Amino acid sequence: MQGQYRAYAPQQQPPQRSPHASNQRRGNMNGAMMTANAHQQAQITQAQLAQQQQQQAQANELAKRRSRKPTDKSIPDGVEGDIVNPEMAQQYEELRNIERLLDTTMTRKRLDVIESVQRPTAMYKTMRIWITNTVEDQVWQGNGLNVDAFDFNPTMESSYRVKIEGALLEDSEEDQKKAAEAAPAAEGEAAEAPTPAAAPTKPSFSHFFKAITVDFDRSRSRNGAEQAVEWKKPEAAGRPGQPAPEAPGAEFDEFTFKRSGDENSNITINLFRHELPERYLLSPELAAAVDMTEATQQEAVMGLWEYIRAAGLQEDEEKRNFRCDDILRQIVGRGDVGYIPLLNEYVAQHIRALPPISLPYTVRVDEEFHKDPKPTIYDIRVAVEDPLRAKLLALLNKPEYSNMLKEITGMDDQLARVIQAVTVSKAKHGFLTALAEDPANFVKNWLSSQKRDLEVILGETANSGEITSGDEWRRGGNESVWGTQNARESVSVLLSRQR
């Protein structure tokens, strides 16, 4: 007896939903949208792919042309006996040896020039600075009250004007003497002799400094805080990797300022150096290791590394570590082991900006001094750029150099084609000479050589033994065994190996 089961009525039951139905629906919607975008993206990709394939085909064609281009410029052996003038072959080899020597020398010199330009050597010259001052409306100058105007409250105030001039001294004593004679004359006015600005080859006074400040003796000045003088070199944008050009107004040979005062006063002129790369003052601990008191950060790091190597402090097992002696322990500051990759950090803790060059000067406003004024002269050392560096840069960036290289490359290609023609002519000459001397044996040996070549070309292909053993290999033309696809592919492989 069969059991009674309740009939299944799907229309009476609510539709069952998957817990991720909404996500599936959202996925379908997104899937349709992504399909459309994917189709659009596929079209763009196909266009780009076609362009890439075309570029790749062009690159392959150029590579094939370059591979077919002859490059051998060596004259074949034994050609001396086949030409009219055998001495020409010897002269050609001598010229080739001279060319190799010239290429080697020029390449080495060019690399030396590039290294010299990238790592310029610091040079120092003497700059002479003249400091003078003039006065205006002082009591002894008689420019006080105006009786005729009945003005008993004069508006004019006693003042002075300080002038600072600088010029590089030449190397010879005669030029130094001329520079000394070009000092400002009486009353602090500039002399009529040509100033450094008149010589275009010399950098100006402001070229060597990034800032100039003047400190006044506040104990004697009435408004010392307002008397401060400061000049900063404006920055000019330059291309990356190239020195920035001087901003407009940053080049001058004379720095002048005017202040009020009717008494002699002391001032200090501070000149902040402008050097690229910047030099720093080293701490006594670092100076004891690198044997320098002033250096760039890179020079200090290299000096510290040389000290570690000279003292044999680098560890044998771990080359990145070094042992610290008493001097290095003060520089590293922690533990007895230092790390070579952290040399920059060690050095950065022991350098600080160089102090400015301070030039004291007494501003004289009395009548006795100005009867025969004399400037205060200082000689300081400034870093100058190597004059050969500009010439070397112009030499490296010459457009004629690239044109010359193209011309030499064209001559090399032409020479390689001539040598290839000579090689082919020598091979033809040898072939015909051997045929003329003994035709029967030559033809016999030549046919034997052709048969061996065919065996090598056919290799392990089917029926290769039957073809080479019979007379089939003797028949030429496109329908012969020499014109088969297998033979052509094998010949192409052999030729490519020879290249």
Side-chain angles (χ1 to χ4, degrees):
M1 185 173 178
Q2 297 180 354
Q4 299 293 327
Y5 296 96
R6 186 172 57 184
Y8 176 68
Q11 67 277 8
Q12 296 179 359
Q13 295 183 0
Q16 299 292 329
R17 290 187 177 182
S18 171
H20 302 290
S22 58
N23 293 337
Q24 291 177 359
R25 189 184 301 113
R26 188 179 300 113
N28 293 335
M29 293 175 63
N30 292 339
M33 294 175 64
M34 290 176 63
T35 303
N37 293 337
H39 181 66
Q40 184 178 2
Q41 185 68 21
Q43 291 179 352
I44 298 175
T45 305
Q46 289 177 359
Q48 294 177 351
L49 183 60
Q51 184 179 4
Q52 292 178 359
Q53 291 176 352
Q54 184 179 2
Q55 293 176 354
Q56 185 66 29
Q58 293 177 356
N60 293 338
E61 182 64 23
L62 292 176
K64 288 181 181 179
R65 292 180 181 178
R66 285 194 297 267
S67 64
R68 295 169 187 164
K69 183 186 300 184
T71 57
D72 189 11
K73 293 181 289 184
S74 300
I75 197 167
D77 297 333
V79 77
E80 296 87 356
D82 300 334
I83 60 179
V84 178
N85 190 0
E87 296 180 356
M88 295 181 62
Q90 184 179 359
Q91 293 177 359
Y92 176 80
E93 290 298 330
E94 292 177 357
L95 290 175
R96 286 276 295 161
N97 294 332
I98 295 175
E99 182 188 18
R100 294 189 189 97
L101 180 61
L102 285 176
D103 289 342
T104 304
T105 304
M106 292 174 63
T107 303
R108 184 175 66 251
K109 291 298 182 182
R110 186 171 181 82
L111 292 176
D112 293 342
V113 169
I114 293 175
E115 184 177 1
S116 300
V117 170
Q118 293 178 349
R119 296 182 179 180
T121 304
M123 298 179 60
Y124 290 88
K125 283 190 175 183
T126 301
M127 169 174 280
R128 178 157 294 176
I129 298 178
W130 298 273
I131 307 175
T132 59
N133 74 279
T134 59
V135 293
E136 298 176 2
D137 302 325
Q138 299 293 329
V139 176
W140 55 269
Q141 290 180 318
N143 295 328
L145 299 176
N146 188 351
V147 181
D148 296 334
F150 298 98
D151 186 4
F152 298 97
N153 295 319
T155 57
M156 288 184 286
E157 186 177 4
S158 301
S159 62
Y160 58 85
R161 189 186 302 271
V162 179
K163 182 186 295 185
I164 306 168
E165 293 181 288
L168 285 177
L169 296 182
E170 300 296 338
D171 298 330
S172 62
E173 295 180 359
E174 182 179 359
D175 293 332
Q176 290 185 10
K177 190 175 181 180
K178 290 181 181 179
E181 293 174 356
E187 296 300 330
E189 297 297 334
E192 295 182 359
T195 59
T201 57
K202 290 184 181 180
S204 62
F205 167 66
S206 61
H207 174 78
F208 300 97
F209 308 105
K210 61 183 177 181
I212 300 176
T213 61
V214 180
D215 297 334
F216 291 82
D217 187 1
R218 298 189 179 184
S219 61
R220 302 192 62 180
S221 60
R222 290 173 295 179
N223 49 353
E226 299 177 359
Q227 295 277 59
V229 177
E230 182 178 6
W231 170 84
K232 288 186 178 180
K233 178 176 292 187
E235 297 181 357
R239 294 183 179 179
Q242 296 183 358
E246 295 291 347
E251 292 288 339
F252 55 84
D253 297 301
E254 175 185 303
F255 182 74
T256 307
F257 64 91
K258 180 180 179 180
R259 290 294 182 271
S260 301
D262 55 2
E263 294 182 359
N264 297 340
S265 60
N266 297 324
I267 62 173
T268 302
I269 302 168
N270 302 313
L271 306 176
F272 295 83
R273 303 173 182 89
H274 177 65
E275 298 179 356
L276 293 176
E278 187 176 359
R279 298 180 65 82
Y280 298 92
L281 182 66
L282 308 184
S283 66
E285 296 82 8
L286 183 58
V290 301
D291 196 20
M292 291 183 292
T293 57
E294 299 178 4
T296 64
Q297 187 168 356
Q298 184 180 5
E299 291 174 349
V301 171
M302 292 301 298
L304 191 59
W305 164 239
E306 290 177 0
Y307 176 83
I308 294 172
R309 287 202 311 173
L313 299 176
Q314 189 176 12
E315 292 186 355
D316 297 331
E317 297 180 356
E318 183 56 57
K319 297 294 185 181
R320 295 178 298 177
N321 301 344
F322 61 88
R323 300 180 299 276
C324 294
D325 56 6
D326 294 338
I327 296 178
L328 292 179
R329 195 174 291 109
Q330 297 178 3
I331 298 174
V332 174
R334 53 191 179 196
D336 296 331
V337 178
Y339 304 96
I340 294 177
L342 300 181
L343 287 181
N344 260 314
E345 298 183 9
Y346 300 151
V347 169
Q349 300 173 1
H350 291 268
I351 60 176
R352 64 177 185 272
L354 283 174
I357 302 174
S358 299
L359 307 178
Y361 177 73
T362 301
V363 179
R364 299 288 298 271
V365 299
D366 55 288
E367 181 179 4
E368 181 181 357
F369 173 79
H370 286 278
K371 289 180 180 179
D372 185 18
K374 294 182 180 180
T376 302
I377 300 176
Y378 291 97
D379 287 339
I380 62 174
R381 301 288 288 175
V382 292
V384 297
E385 186 177 357
D386 190 353
L388 293 177
R389 188 170 184 269
K391 298 181 179 180
L392 294 178
L393 281 174
L395 180 64
L396 292 177
N397 299 329
K398 261 190 173 182
E400 292 83 357
Y401 180 74
S402 58
N403 298 333
M404 181 186 66
L405 289 182
K406 292 180 181 179
E407 185 178 356
I408 292 176
T409 303
M411 292 181 178
D412 287 342
D413 295 341
Q414 183 179 1
L415 181 60
R417 288 193 293 269
V418 171
I419 294 299
Q420 185 185 38
V422 171
T423 304
V424 173
S425 298
K426 183 180 182 303
K428 290 181 180 179
H429 181 271
F431 181 88
L432 296 176
T433 302
L435 178 62
E437 291 177 353
D438 191 0
N441 290 329
F442 179 81
V443 171
K444 182 179 179 180
N445 295 334
W446 180 69
L447 291 175
S448 177
S449 175
Q450 293 293 306
K451 185 177 180 180
R452 288 195 304 270
D453 292 342
L454 182 60
E455 291 176 355
V456 173
I457 290 174
L458 295 179
E460 301 295 333
T461 58
N463 302 326
S464 61
E466 298 177 1
I467 294 175
T468 55
S469 60
D471 295 336
E472 180 66 22
W473 66 276
R474 295 176 180 269
R475 184 167 63 89
N478 294 330
E479 301 297 332
S480 67
V481 64
W482 296 96
T484 59
Q485 183 68 22
N486 186 28
R488 292 179 179 177
E489 293 179 356
S490 299
V491 170
S492 300
V493 171
L494 291 176
L495 292 178
S496 64
R497 289 179 181 177
Q498 291 179 2
R499 293 171 188 165

